[in-house]
Every structure is written in C-alpha cells, then in structure tokens.
Amino acid sequence: MYLFNFLQITEQQELPGLLVNEVGGTHAVLGAHVEFLKTHFHLITMKEFLKSKPHLSQKVQAVYIWWHKPTIDQELLKSLLNLKVIGNSGVGMDHLDLKLISSFGVKIATAQHAVSNSTADTGMALLLASARRIVEGYQIAVSPNTEHFAADWLGDEVSGATLGIIGMGRIGYKVTKRAKAFEMKILYHNQNQRAEEEEQAVGAIYCAKIEDLLQHSDFVMLVVSLTPQTHKLIGKREFELMKPTATLINISRGLVIDQDALVEALQTGVIKAAALDVSYPEPLPRDHPLLKLKNILITPHLGIKTDKTTLKITEEIVASILAALNGLPIPNEVIP
C-alpha cells in the first residue's frame, strides 16, 4: 500500500511546482496521469522552465523523471533554487548522479514497489516466448507461403529446466515465484544470500560464484542494477561458461551485457539464443548486427509498461514527493 494520506492534501492558494519533461510527446508523462498530477502540483514543463527561468526557478520544488527525462545535471540543479526532491519513475539509478544531487541537499525517491510484478512478468514472458519460439511461430502461422506446419519445428522445454537468476532483489525474487509455478530448478547469484526461509519458499539455491550458475543453467536471467560493478558483467568469458543450449534473458540494463560479445556468441553457437527487453542504445541502430540474427528476441523496454503499473508508479512517486515537501519520512528514499 502506498501512503495515500499524503495524496489528500488540503486546498492551497498555490500548488507546489513540479518540473516534468513535457506533457504530450515522446518523452512526456503519460497523458492519463496528467489530471492526477495537476490535483497536487502546478506542472511546469522543461520548455516552459527554460523560457521563463528567472520567474520559475523559485517555483519548482520537485522534479518527476519519467523514462529518464528530464536530464538532471549540475546546471539544472543550480537553477532550481527551491528544489527539495526528485521522483524517479523506475528503480534504475544509472542515469542519475546520486552524489551530485545529494550535494545540493535534494532527496531522491523511486517507485521500487510498483515496478516489481510487471518487470518479473516481462522476464517470464521473454523466457517463454524465446523457448517456445512464439514470434517465429506467429510468422509461420500467418505467412501466405505456409502450406503446412513442420513436425520437426521444435522449441525448448521450460517446465523442469534450470533457471539461473543473476540479481535477487525484489524483482528477482518475484521471478522465482513465477518460475516455481513452472517447476523450474532455480539457481541464483547475488551480492548477498537471501534468508533461508525465503530460499525454501521458492526452492532457490544460492551460487556464491557466478561461474557455477552459468555452467548449470538452461536459462540465465539478468535482474541486476547497472553499476560500475555490473557494467558488462556478461562478456565473452561468461558466454563461454554457459551451455551451448542456453538462453540469455536481460530485463535489467543493456550495458550489463557486452553486446559485441553477445553478437559473436549468437553467431557462432556459443549459446543458443537471447531475449532482451533492454539494449544499448535504445533503440538499437537499424543496421546493428543483433537485429539481423534469427536466434534473438528483442522487445522495446516493456518491463513496466502496463496501464496498472504506470499508474501505480505515478501514485507512489507523488506520495514520496508530498512526504518530502511536508517534511515527513520519504517512502522508498534512495540513499547515495
């Protein structure tokens, strides 16, 4: 449950200013959320702010980052004289300089509870679609050239297979609950081992060494945050440790994988397939070699993109911003 009591703010003469990238557009807050936001804030777009910076610089008390926009840099922070809090719509922090923001005395909040189920669903959807060759199957089924369905056109079994999860935070643990329903054997590698009762609840086995997980998994799913430690975590060496029949699934960040090494691994059969909801950059250049491979499935960063989840994210961020502006403890505050 979110702190909805913060959402019931009293009527006031002037609502606090909330800076958003744009309203209506490619990098805009969702149109369906605008009226909700307007009940609590005076919305100020980046275009409006830059046009009337002297007038608006004191009015902005909070920033809402939706899909990594607006960009928070030193110049912007210096110009926002009364900024108290930044609400980030996802859980990934790699686009934010947390130490810089903190040095200006600005708090940061994220929507970590709202995103977990939707992102875990996306991970399992990619795993199932890749294993059972759903996209290829659809293309065959609707092709005007199809006269029969080949009996030897086969996919991979998911039930009973071994899933290795790298990163066992909220989302990773949600994935294990879904995988358990498919009677999968679950291995996981994480900075810290989960409590024994949590492991037993889903039948997860901890691998202190990532090498052990890679060598024994039929499917490897990446659910880590992008940090200096996880940058290109999976590269040539890691691919060579994986089974040649294995599939890699990435629902974290594109830079967690060395994409050049992934191209080579897929082209040469070092691993069987990959399913990616993220890449670097996004979208990939139209001539990128990954787009030419048949043993890869790529989706356009669908992780949190459902009506229900995006609304929950906005509600959660609004609750955190209002808490910060009222001097109350901030739900889901990020500590640099």
Side-chain angles (χ1 to χ4, degrees):
M1 293 293 293
Y2 309 121
L3 303 183
F4 287 109
N5 52 312
F6 292 133
L7 305 184
Q8 306 300 320
I9 62 174
T10 56
E11 290 186 7
Q12 45 187 297
Q13 207 164 17
E14 186 174 2
L15 294 172
L18 178 68
L19 182 65
V20 298
N21 195 57
E22 56 183 335
V23 176
T26 305
H27 298 290
V29 292
L30 296 178
H33 303 176
V34 171
E35 290 306 313
F36 171 69
L37 290 168
K38 282 183 176 180
T39 62
H40 304 292
F41 306 104
H42 169 53
L43 297 188
I44 301 170
T45 66
M46 276 297 295
K47 184 177 180 180
E48 292 168 337
F49 175 74
L50 294 173
K51 186 177 180 180
S52 306
K53 188 181 292 187
H55 172 65
L56 295 175
S57 61
Q58 296 190 32
K59 292 185 178 294
V60 175
Q61 297 182 49
V63 177
Y64 185 18
I65 298 176
W66 183 262
W67 217 244
H68 297 189
K69 297 290 184 178
T71 300
I72 307 298
D73 55 22
Q74 187 164 333
E75 182 182 356
L76 181 62
L77 290 168
K78 282 183 176 180
S79 65
L80 297 174
L81 304 179
N82 291 317
L83 180 63
K84 296 181 176 64
V85 60
I86 293 172
N88 182 54
S89 60
V91 292
M93 296 283 113
D94 49 282
H95 57 291
L96 296 174
D97 187 333
L98 302 185
K99 289 185 178 179
L100 174 66
I101 294 168
S102 180
S103 71
F104 280 82
V106 176
K107 304 291 186 181
I108 307 165
T110 187
Q112 55 188 329
H113 293 290
V115 305
S116 299
N117 279 320
S118 179
T119 308
D121 286 348
T122 299
M124 287 304 296
L126 284 170
L127 188 157
L128 290 164
S130 180
R132 300 310 303 269
R133 303 170 69 181
I134 298 297
V135 175
E136 292 175 83
Y138 166 78
Q139 292 169 343
I140 291 170
V142 302
S143 171
N145 300 318
T146 298
E147 297 180 355
H148 65 274
F149 296 151
D152 60 352
W153 193 85
L154 306 174
D156 294 325
E157 194 79 16
V158 172
S159 298
T162 298
L163 170 63
I165 301 173
I166 300 176
M168 188 60 82
R170 283 185 177 86
I171 297 171
Y173 196 71
K174 293 278 189 180
V175 172
T176 66
K177 291 183 176 181
R178 288 152 176 75
K180 182 185 178 184
F182 283 89
E183 301 175 350
M184 300 186 82
K185 180 181 179 182
I186 301 166
L187 308 177
Y188 77 97
H189 173 75
N190 197 48
Q191 187 174 1
N192 300 304
Q193 185 172 357
R194 282 271 186 169
E196 185 178 353
E197 57 269 23
E198 292 176 324
E199 292 180 338
Q200 291 178 349
V202 293
I205 300 170
Y206 179 62
C207 295
K209 295 181 179 180
I210 194 172
E211 292 83 357
D212 294 335
L213 179 147
L214 295 171
Q215 290 171 342
H216 294 96
S217 298
D218 300 304
F219 300 92
V220 175
M221 189 178 297
L222 303 176
V223 203
V224 295
S225 299
L226 178 59
T227 67
Q229 292 72 35
T230 62
H231 181 265
K232 293 190 177 179
L233 177 67
I234 305 298
K236 180 178 176 64
R237 172 181 172 273
E238 287 70 31
F239 287 124
E240 290 175 348
L241 289 170
M242 292 171 64
K243 296 179 179 181
T245 55
T247 296
L248 179 72
I249 301 115
N250 189 8
I251 56 171
S252 55
R253 288 290 185 267
L255 280 170
V256 172
I257 297 175
D258 181 335
Q259 286 188 165
D260 291 337
L262 174 60
V263 170
E264 182 180 352
L266 291 171
Q267 287 176 335
T268 59
V270 172
I271 65 171
K272 183 174 183 179
L276 314 176
D277 190 42
V278 290
S279 63
Y280 184 80
E282 290 179 358
L284 289 169
R286 297 298 85 185
D287 60 349
H288 196 282
L290 281 177
L291 301 181
K292 298 175 172 62
L293 300 176
K294 292 184 177 181
N295 54 342
I296 191 167
L297 172 62
I298 304 176
T299 51
H301 208 143
L302 297 176
I304 62 171
K305 291 182 179 177
T306 71
D307 290 337
K308 184 176 181 180
T309 293
T310 52
L311 179 57
K312 282 184 176 180
I313 288 170
T314 297
E315 290 174 343
E316 194 169 338
I317 291 298
V318 168
S320 290
I321 290 174
L322 293 177
L325 298 184
N326 285 280
L328 297 169
I330 303 173
N332 306 324
E333 181 177 0
V334 177
I335 307 299

